[in-house]
Amino acid sequence: MASSKNSLLVGAAGLVVGAGIGYAAACMMGEKKDEKKKKASATCPATEWPQGKPVYTASYPAYDLADQDASFMRVGDMLIEEILSELPRGYEMPPREVKWIEEMLHYNVKGGKMNRGKMVVASMIELAKHQGIELSPTDISKYAVLGWCVEWMQAWLLMADDVMDDSQTRRGHPCWYKLDKVQKIAINDAFTVEMLVFKLLKRHFGQETYYLQLLDLFLETTFQTECGQLLDTLCMNLTVEDFSVERWTLIVKYKTAFYSFYASVAMAMVVFGIEDREAYDAAREVLMVMGIYFQAQDDFLDCYGTPEQIGKIGTDIQDKKCGWLFCQAYHHIASPEQKAVLKENYGYWDDAKVEVVKQLYRDMDLETLYRAYEEESYKEIMAMKPKVEALLPWSIFEIFLGKVYKRSK
């Protein structure tokens, strides 16, 4: 059952990415050569139907830095309203389906910590300061749209991931697909949210010179994340002996670090015209370490955190996840006898077996090992500071680190 679901999700996601690439190529070919050199444009006659497309947003609410959470949410609400208003006249969508989209978006794109999205805003502000640019409150709101693009990307990835992992709860509520009226419709809903990300990009940045770079960044980041998802889901066909630290690192680098960390900073760099590849490489290097450390935290909290802490019921043990705790325990700590116990109990939806695994983790004192790894990761990140701050403001990465270092939820 899981295999067929994975095939459907991967296949459909490939079509979506292919469509995005085709769209970018079609629009580029439709421009005159001399105009292409001056300014990228989202204008594309092939998609200017019905009359009135494309739609661009001309005004934004003022962003209040004294109340950033409320300001960020106001922008998010504006985006939902824009989508809902465009669906009937732009896509002939009946009221019932529009209402479905409204409920689906409110249920899935809100409710998290919004750290990824707010880090886009923070990156914009810090880079603007570094370049001596003063941002107006409406400028910040426009850039907050890119933060919401990351949040919506996160939302559709989680919607699909919950189906593939048979997850039960998300952000303190039943997973979207677990609702009786949703079930398999969640698969199409996930892909709908994915495509809405590209709608947001076009509506708000389609007239900017850097639009195609943003589009390329989102397409690349989406594919990188799906590569990580493939590495993760194929673990169901592997034995636990294959669950090495090296495989775990590759999974989390692609499944988490690129979209959760690098994309937020790279977007700001694109917007502010940074073209030095060395700067992008330096940012990527330190953000990969942060992203991998962040996922190790997630794996630790999945086992040791409470549902109230983490907003979900941890199921990595039941799902036979190639997780940090298991990889460390099985390949670096366990005796032959303990390995046999892990093999007999890991990957089963049986409370007694789950408790056996957790007790083994306690016996091996994995919590102490994790705390040591946390300190090593922090030192590795700080050692990169001189290289990074020669090219970019270190304050961006300091804000990131402050949000993740020793977090408990």
Side-chain angles (χ1 to χ4, degrees), residues 225-246:
T225 308
E226 288 169 354
C227 288
Q229 187 72 357
L230 177 66
L231 287 163
D232 186 27
T233 53
L234 280 186
C235 286
M236 66 177 289
N237 296 332
L238 304 179
T239 65
V240 292
E241 286 83 2
D242 296 312
F243 291 5
S244 64
V245 173
E246 292 73 25

Side-chain angles (χ1 to χ4, degrees), residues 98-198:
V98 174
K99 186 67 178 175
W100 180 273
I101 296 289
E102 180 180 18
E103 182 181 354
M104 181 265 291
L105 289 175
H106 281 288
Y107 196 96
N108 291 287
V109 305
K110 296 167 139 187
K113 296 182 287 293
M114 307 292 174
N115 282 337
R116 292 166 180 83
K118 287 185 281 191
M119 274 310 304
V120 175
V121 177
S123 298
M124 295 288 182
I125 292 171
E126 294 304 312
L127 262 182
K129 288 180 187 175
H130 185 68
Q131 295 188 356
I133 298 171
E134 186 174 347
L135 298 179
S136 71
T138 54
D139 289 336
I140 298 173
S141 281
K142 178 171 179 174
Y143 296 142
V145 173
L146 290 174
W148 277 105
C149 285
V150 175
E151 289 295 331
W152 288 30
M153 182 181 182
Q154 155 90 342
W156 84 259
L157 288 165
L158 293 180
M159 292 165 72
D161 196 56
D162 287 342
V163 175
M164 287 185 275
D165 288 347
D166 295 312
S167 298
Q168 302 299 305
T169 60
R170 172 70 61 185
R171 296 170 175 170
H173 300 285
C175 296
W176 178 243
Y177 85 96
K178 293 296 291 182
L179 302 186
D180 290 339
K181 67 179 181 180
V182 180
Q183 300 185 55
K184 292 181 181 179
I185 300 173
I187 297 173
N188 187 69
D189 287 341
F191 298 142
T192 299
V193 177
E194 179 182 18
M195 286 314 302
L196 288 176
V197 170
F198 294 99

Side-chain angles (χ1 to χ4, degrees), residues 159-380:
M159 292 165 72
D161 196 56
D162 287 342
V163 175
M164 287 185 275
D165 288 347
D166 295 312
S167 298
Q168 302 299 305
T169 60
R170 172 70 61 185
R171 296 170 175 170
H173 300 285
C175 296
W176 178 243
Y177 85 96
K178 293 296 291 182
L179 302 186
D180 290 339
K181 67 179 181 180
V182 180
Q183 300 185 55
K184 292 181 181 179
I185 300 173
I187 297 173
N188 187 69
D189 287 341
F191 298 142
T192 299
V193 177
E194 179 182 18
M195 286 314 302
L196 288 176
V197 170
F198 294 99
K199 293 287 293 176
L200 296 180
L201 283 175
K202 181 177 178 180
R203 177 166 182 148
H204 293 270
F205 299 94
Q207 295 177 301
E208 302 292 347
T209 56
Y210 50 78
Y211 169 65
L212 291 180
Q213 289 189 59
L214 287 178
L215 184 60
D216 187 49
L217 177 59
F218 266 90
L219 288 168
E220 181 70 5
T221 303
T222 299
F223 186 65
Q224 287 167 330
T225 308
E226 288 169 354
C227 288
Q229 187 72 357
L230 177 66
L231 287 163
D232 186 27
T233 53
L234 280 186
C235 286
M236 66 177 289
N237 296 332
L238 304 179
T239 65
V240 292
E241 286 83 2
D242 296 312
F243 291 5
S244 64
V245 173
E246 292 73 25
R247 182 177 181 86
W248 171 83
T249 302
L250 192 61
I251 290 171
V252 303
K253 176 181 179 180
Y254 279 86
K255 184 178 177 180
T256 300
F258 279 108
Y259 94 89
S260 294
F261 287 80
Y262 176 67
S264 296
V265 178
M267 275 189 286
M269 294 171 69
V270 166
V271 167
F272 286 101
I274 294 176
E275 297 180 350
D276 183 3
R277 180 171 174 179
E278 188 179 357
Y280 287 95
D281 290 343
R284 187 185 305 105
E285 183 180 8
V286 67
L287 291 167
M288 288 300 102
V289 177
M290 283 195 202
I292 291 167
Y293 158 55
F294 173 84
Q295 189 58 51
Q297 285 180 319
D298 251 22
D299 292 357
F300 175 81
L301 292 170
D302 187 272
C303 179
Y304 288 88
T306 65
E308 292 74 25
Q309 261 183 292
I310 63 177
K312 64 178 182 178
I313 299 170
T315 60
D316 283 1
I317 293 173
Q318 296 92 316
D319 291 332
K320 201 181 88 170
K321 285 288 187 179
C322 179
W324 189 87
L325 293 171
F326 181 86
C327 293
Q328 296 290 344
Y330 193 85
H331 288 286
H332 300 289
I333 301 176
S335 65
E337 293 78 14
Q338 288 173 321
K339 284 186 177 183
V341 173
L342 282 172
K343 288 178 70 173
E344 289 171 8
N345 293 277
Y346 196 73
Y348 294 93
W349 285 82
D350 181 313
D351 290 345
K353 288 179 180 288
V354 170
E355 183 52 38
V356 168
V357 173
K358 288 186 175 183
Q359 185 57 51
L360 267 181
Y361 286 172
R362 289 190 285 268
D363 293 343
M364 296 177 191
D365 197 14
L366 279 179
E367 183 170 358
T368 297
L369 181 67
Y370 168 75
R371 299 300 178 195
Y373 165 80
E374 186 169 51
E375 291 306 313
E376 289 169 11
S377 297
Y378 179 80
K379 290 176 183 176
E380 184 180 2

